[in-house]
Amino acid sequence: MIDRTTFLTYSKEEYKEYLFPDKKEFYRFRDMFLACKAISFCRTNEMVGWVNPKTVQFCDLYKKEITNSIEEFQGVREKYGYLLPMRQMRDNLEFQKKFKEHTEYLANIMRNCIVDYNPAEKVLSEPEICFVLYSHPELVKYVKKQTRDMQEILFKKGKARYVKNPDSSILRNANANTVQSVPFNQRDIDFEVSAVMDGKLPIKDIHFKKLPEYLTKHINTIPSYRFDTLVKGIEELGVPTFGENVMEQMRLLFVEHEDPFYDTGCCKWGTEPVLTYMKNPSKKVKEASVRKNPYSVGVIKYQYDAIQDLALHRCKELHDVYFNTWKNSWHYNDDRENPWNLLVLWECMIKNPSVKIQKIYKELTGDKQYW
């Protein structure tokens, strides 16, 4: 048990070092704790379904020998958390023996499974399989359909090579090396695209030939603020990989679905337009971008009269639409609240306007100032 002096002296990290100076021992008991934690739901959660009677007995043993034995004064559980049951396991050799016996009992059941006809998930509950995987990650080969929890265990154990069709939600807690160790033929394009956007998988190492079809079907599900990494990768592969027509369609898709933010007060982009990252986009792509967001004309290096004309007229059009929509609203005070500002466009975005463009700007603004 922990006395008051220990509680006041040791931080959680210091107490961990004190209990488990050997890192191997720490990870062994941590896995034992996590396995028991996973299987403990079998005793209380009716949603698990049928559970082997021996598993129920083991859960009762875990409760009796480990969790019920943690009697600490107030604050200890909050401070030291999982280290307390780990300490109980370390000091209880009989429980360690029972843990090993039950692990092997369930592992042998899995070894007798045939994936195509009688996979492990048909004879064991998911928590029971997770329990086994903490000790025998290789036995996941007897599982036909891996769950997210199973895959997360494999990632944590450094056994990502056993993962099949990984769920993209597990990327959050995985590093790049782990993600890249999932075999090429065992991951799908959905996972790969998420990994590319997270910077954990190079685009050249994914099923990039599937990207055009994937974007057509799923671009609505990708937040536009995450487009930049994906667009940069696609541009690196470029026309030699996809061909001119497919590159054009992908570029137009990104432009159509982007939602870049521009702070007119600071004359600064919050989210750069995807046009920024495109190499030699066509006139059609440039004009589509400016039509969607006239401020994007500012990222075009070599502006021409037609694109500046389009930007000015489109900005005026969007300004008037916004004004007519909100002019009677109680919170609309003046044009400073309008996100579409011709003066900002003119001063911050338009480069080297010709006499013709200067005339168009004056005609659009007249005597009115857009602040």
Side-chain angles (χ1 to χ4, degrees):
M1 298 298 108
I2 295 178
D3 57 32
R4 189 167 184 80
T5 302
T6 300
F7 177 74
L8 294 173
T9 304
Y10 289 96
S11 67
K12 187 174 184 178
E13 188 62 27
E14 288 169 338
Y15 191 55
K16 184 184 87 171
E17 294 295 326
Y18 170 74
L19 287 177
F20 303 103
D22 185 337
K23 283 190 176 181
K24 276 190 174 181
E25 187 180 51
F26 168 76
Y27 288 119
R28 180 166 77 89
F29 285 105
R30 187 202 62 175
D31 283 351
M32 186 182 293
F33 163 70
L34 291 174
C36 290
K37 184 180 178 183
I39 209 172
S40 64
F41 289 104
C42 292
R43 194 70 182 94
T44 57
N45 191 346
E46 295 178 357
M47 298 300 290
V48 170
W50 185 86
V51 178
N52 193 292
K54 288 193 175 183
T55 292
V56 175
Q57 292 174 15
F58 180 81
C59 289
D60 289 339
L61 178 71
Y62 171 65
K63 184 177 180 182
K64 177 184 176 183
E65 296 290 328
I66 305 301
T67 58
N68 285 356
S69 298
I70 302 172
E71 296 177 1
E72 306 289 356
F73 59 83
Q74 187 177 3
V76 171
R77 289 187 182 221
E78 289 80 2
K79 184 173 183 179
Y80 296 123
Y82 66 92
L83 293 174
L84 303 180
M86 284 175 62
R87 181 195 62 192
Q88 295 295 102
M89 293 173 178
R90 183 201 63 179
D91 297 340
N92 192 328
L93 296 179
E94 185 61 27
F95 178 80
Q96 292 178 37
K97 179 183 175 184
K98 294 293 183 183
F99 175 86
K100 186 174 181 180
E101 287 175 356
H102 193 60
T103 299
E104 292 309 311
Y105 170 73
L106 295 179
N108 285 330
I109 292 176
M110 290 183 69
R111 291 185 184 104
N112 288 320
C113 292
I114 301 173
V115 176
D116 292 332
Y117 305 103
N118 191 40
E121 60 266 38
K122 279 197 172 184
V123 293
L124 294 176
S125 66
E126 180 185 353
E128 289 174 305
I129 294 173
C130 289
F131 178 85
V132 173
L133 294 182
Y134 277 106
S135 300
H136 300 290
E138 73 282 357
L139 296 186
V140 77
K141 65 184 178 182
Y142 295 106
V143 176
K144 187 171 185 178
K145 189 173 182 181
Q146 298 175 3
T147 65
R148 182 194 179 282
D149 286 346
M150 294 176 196
Q151 293 176 345
E152 195 160 274
I153 292 169
L154 296 174
F155 267 45
K156 286 178 180 176
K157 296 284 290 179
K159 304 295 182 181
R161 65 182 181 275
Y162 297 136
V163 174
K164 292 183 179 179
N165 300 319
D167 190 301
S168 57
S169 65
I170 65 177
L171 282 167
R172 183 181 302 173
N173 299 318
N175 60 41
N177 288 336
T178 302
V179 172
Q180 291 170 31
S181 64
V182 179
F184 179 77
N185 62 346
Q186 291 176 198
R187 59 192 192 219
D188 60 24
I189 187 66
D190 181 66
F191 173 81
E192 291 177 327
V193 168
S194 296
V196 168
M197 291 189 295
D198 281 356
K200 295 176 180 179
L201 197 59
I203 200 166
K204 63 182 178 60
D205 292 341
I206 74 169
H207 294 82
F208 52 76
K209 289 290 187 180
K210 296 182 179 179
L211 268 174
E213 182 183 359
Y214 175 84
L215 291 174
T216 301
K217 292 181 179 179
H218 301 288
I219 197 165
N220 283 322
T221 66
I222 305 173
S224 66
Y225 65 83
R226 302 190 74 192
F227 282 178
D228 56 348
T229 304
L230 197 53
V231 172
K232 289 175 188 176
I234 289 173
E235 292 292 328
E236 283 178 18
L237 297 174
V239 172
T241 298
F242 298 105
E244 288 187 14
N245 290 336
V246 173
M247 278 295 292
E248 181 92 335
Q249 291 308 308
M250 286 195 290
R251 285 167 171 167
L252 289 170
L253 269 176
F254 282 117
V255 166
E256 180 186 349
H257 290 88
E258 75 171 333
D259 186 25
F261 169 72
Y262 187 78
D263 186 339
T264 54
C266 299
C267 282
K268 185 177 180 181
W269 287 104
T271 306
E272 294 274 4
V274 291
L275 196 63
T276 309
Y277 312 111
M278 294 180 184
K279 299 176 181 178
N280 303 316
S282 68
K283 180 180 178 182
K284 184 177 181 179
V285 172
K286 291 176 184 176
E287 292 181 356
S289 179
V290 171
R291 198 171 288 110
K292 179 74 183 288
N293 185 338
Y295 294 140
S296 69
V297 72
V299 305
I300 298 174
K301 189 174 182 180
Y302 301 107
Q303 296 176 4
Y304 46 93
D305 280 4
I307 201 77
Q308 293 179 338
D309 186 344
L310 175 63
L312 290 168
H313 279 92
R314 183 62 177 149
C315 187
K316 178 66 165 61
E317 179 185 353
L318 291 171
H319 172 277
D320 292 347
V321 169
Y322 188 92
F323 174 76
N324 291 328
T325 302
W326 298 104
K327 64 181 178 181
N328 296 321
S329 174
W330 63 269
H331 63 79
Y332 189 86
N333 297 318
D334 54 45
D335 259 358
R336 282 174 293 187
E337 295 181 14
N338 197 315
W340 304 109
N341 190 310
L342 275 167
L343 182 61
V344 168
L345 177 69
W346 184 255
E347 293 189 346
C348 301
M349 303 295 182
I350 300 295
K351 302 170 186 174
N352 304 316
S354 65
V355 173
K356 176 184 174 183
I357 296 302
Q358 293 178 43
K359 182 179 178 183
I360 291 172
Y361 173 68
K362 289 179 181 178
E363 288 173 351
L364 289 174
T365 56
D367 296 327
K368 187 173 181 180
Q369 295 296 317
Y370 289 90
W371 301 103

